[in-house]
């Protein structure tokens, strides 16, 4: 069932309390889904969401593709009784009509109560997953979780400074890109002239992030760069046109260029990938542009690259 696929796809985590709510919704750093957390829930340290001090009760907040909400809504209407003993429920939130499920499960040897909710967003679907261990279930009850779900809200944009402040590096130049969006909180982000609804590939965009690997030796950098270039998402019929060593901010790096097809409209694009090698990780900077716009886009990509600095 697509309903269960989306509710199980992101990890299960979150909780709630029957005590009074704080006054205003809270957005975890970088998140577009917020809510009024129940008393005892604070911003999580290791994931996007909320948790209790002992990390027993957890609330995970995430984005899903825009079509996910529609598929879940259609599945609910087609089979309101649910499957496998899990019956979906609907709930009115500040973001609109949402759907959620509740089930009993195991987290290792611990009995837990799990809740999963999907809600509509303008260009994405919001997702909230809650996990409550049995020893907290008398405080974080079904009614309390439902009350917290009802407070869920959506923000279309996350402030740019908030997103940039989460990154393990500083970006000093945005080259007039219209949109900034975190892809993985604290790890990667996208700068774009288009958006999710139209498709990023129809206009210049960049993806900047860290990867947890690097070349085994200086002699291996070329092979490593070309191999990782084949993993750029959404690229079809790619052909490497150039790959050579460069220096980036005084550190060893590699520049690789690719001609390819990208996106649902089969847009011809030219892509540049820069890798800046560290001892255990690498910074990966990808710039993609429709081929007709490449001459104007490339200096923008390079300006962003040259403005990236380590965060002290």
């Amino acid at each position: 069932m697509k309903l269960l696929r989306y509710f199980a796809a992101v990890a299960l985590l979150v909780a709630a309390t029957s005590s009074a709510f704080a006054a205003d919704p809270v957005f975890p750093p970088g998140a577009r889904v917020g809510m009024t957390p129940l008393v005892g829930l604070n911003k999580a340290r290791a994931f996007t969401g909320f948790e209790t001090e002992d990390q027993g009760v957890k609330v995970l907040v995430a984005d899903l593709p825009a079509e996910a909400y529609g598929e879940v809504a259609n599945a609910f209407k087609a089979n309101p009784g649910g499957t496998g003993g899990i019956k979906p429920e609907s709930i009115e939130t500040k973001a609109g009509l949402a759907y959620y499920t509740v089930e009993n499960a195991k987290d290792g040897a611990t009995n837990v109560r799990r809740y999963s909710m999907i809600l509509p967003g303008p260009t994405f679907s919001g997702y909230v997953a809650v996990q409550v261990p049995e020893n907290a279930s008398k405080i974080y009850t079904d009614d309390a979780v439902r009350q917290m779900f009802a407070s869920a809200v959506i923000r279309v944009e996350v402030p740019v400074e908030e997103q940039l402040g989460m990154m393990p590096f500083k970006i000093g130049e945005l080259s007039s890109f219209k949109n900034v969006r975190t892809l993985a909180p604290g790890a990667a982000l996208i700068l774009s002239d288009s958006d999710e609804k139209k498709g990023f590939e129809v206009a210049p965009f960049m993806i900047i992030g860290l990867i947890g690997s690097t070349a085994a030796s200086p002699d291996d950098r070329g092979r490593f760069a070309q191999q990782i270039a084949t993993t750029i998402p959404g690229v079809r019929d790619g052909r490497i046109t150039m790959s050579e060593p460069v220096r980036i901010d005084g550190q060893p790096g590699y520049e690789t260029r690719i001609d390819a097809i990208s996106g649902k409209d089969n847009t011809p694009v030219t892509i540049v990938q820069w890798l800046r090698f560290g001892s255990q990780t690498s910074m990966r900077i990808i710039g993609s542009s429709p081929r007709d716009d490449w001459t104007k886009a490339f200096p923008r990509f390079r300006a962003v690259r040259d403005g990236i600095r380590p965060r002290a």
Side-chain angles (χ1 to χ4, degrees):
M1 282 292 294
K2 289 181 178 177
L3 172 66
L4 297 181
R5 186 185 86 199
Y6 280 114
F7 278 165
V10 187
L12 306 154
L13 306 169
V14 96
T17 212
S18 55
S19 306
F21 277 91
D24 299 314
V26 177
F27 290 91
R32 291 189 284 185
V33 178
M35 66 194 70
T36 306
L38 296 161
V39 171
L41 289 174
N42 301 300
K43 291 178 183 178
R45 294 185 287 269
F47 60 90
T48 303
F50 307 96
E51 63 186 356
T52 50
E53 184 64 29
D54 64 0
Q55 301 179 329
V57 177
K58 301 178 182 179
V59 180
L60 175 71
V61 175
D63 293 353
L64 293 180
E67 62 271 17
Y69 176 81
E71 293 189 18
V72 170
N74 291 336
F76 175 84
K77 294 170 185 176
N79 187 13
T83 58
I86 301 175
K87 183 180 182 300
E89 303 283 349
S90 61
I91 183 172
E92 284 291 344
T93 74
K94 294 181 179 180
L97 184 65
Y99 299 93
Y100 74 97
T101 59
V102 184
E103 61 179 315
N104 294 316
K106 287 273 193 181
D107 183 7
T110 303
N111 292 324
V112 296
R113 189 82 161 154
R114 286 175 173 165
Y115 308 79
S116 298
M117 179 177 71
I118 192 167
L119 60 157
T123 57
F124 62 96
S125 300
Y127 179 83
V128 183
V130 179
Q131 181 167 294
V132 179
E134 189 174 37
N135 63 5
S137 61
K138 291 184 179 179
I139 300 174
Y140 297 88
T141 64
D142 288 355
D143 286 344
V145 173
R146 181 180 173 87
Q147 187 182 6
M148 183 173 65
F149 278 172
S151 74
V153 294
I154 294 287
R155 57 178 175 178
V156 177
E157 298 293 339
V158 179
V160 171
E161 290 305 316
E162 179 180 323
Q163 297 184 67
L164 297 182
M166 298 171 62
M167 296 296 116
F169 44 81
K170 295 180 181 180
I171 298 180
E173 173 59 59
L174 296 177
S175 281
S176 301
F177 278 105
K178 298 175 182 177
N179 299 305
V180 178
R181 174 73 190 124
T182 300
L183 296 177
L189 78 165
I190 183 168
L191 313 179
S192 66
D193 283 341
S194 186
D195 56 32
E196 295 147 304
K197 190 172 183 179
K198 296 176 184 176
F200 293 118
E201 66 283 339
V202 300
F205 72 90
M206 298 185 74
I207 296 175
I208 306 167
L210 297 180
I211 55 176
S213 57
T214 191
S217 68
D219 291 340
D220 194 45
R221 288 170 183 159
R223 181 204 60 80
F224 181 86
Q226 293 187 34
Q227 183 180 53
I228 204 166
T230 65
T231 68
I232 297 174
V235 171
R236 303 184 298 280
D237 302 326
R239 179 176 65 89
I240 293 177
T241 60
M242 183 268 276
S243 191
E244 63 185 26
V246 294
R247 301 291 292 183
I248 302 175
D249 193 27
Q251 291 185 267
Y254 230 88
E255 178 177 327
T256 303
R257 297 192 193 182
I258 304 164
D259 284 341
I261 302 297
S262 183
K264 60 184 179 181
D265 295 328
N266 296 318
T267 303
V269 296
T270 296
I271 300 168
V272 60
Q273 172 189 269
W274 286 295
L275 294 178
R276 190 172 72 187
F277 299 107
S279 59
Q280 296 181 320
T281 62
S282 302
M283 173 168 285
R284 189 186 195 190
I285 304 167
I286 297 169
S288 174
S289 170
R291 210 161 294 159
D292 293 343
D293 295 335
W294 172 254
T295 301
K296 294 180 179 178
F298 182 73
R300 298 173 66 195
F301 297 158
R302 191 165 52 193
V304 172
R305 182 202 72 181
D306 292 345
I308 297 174
R309 296 289 184 270
R311 189 174 294 280

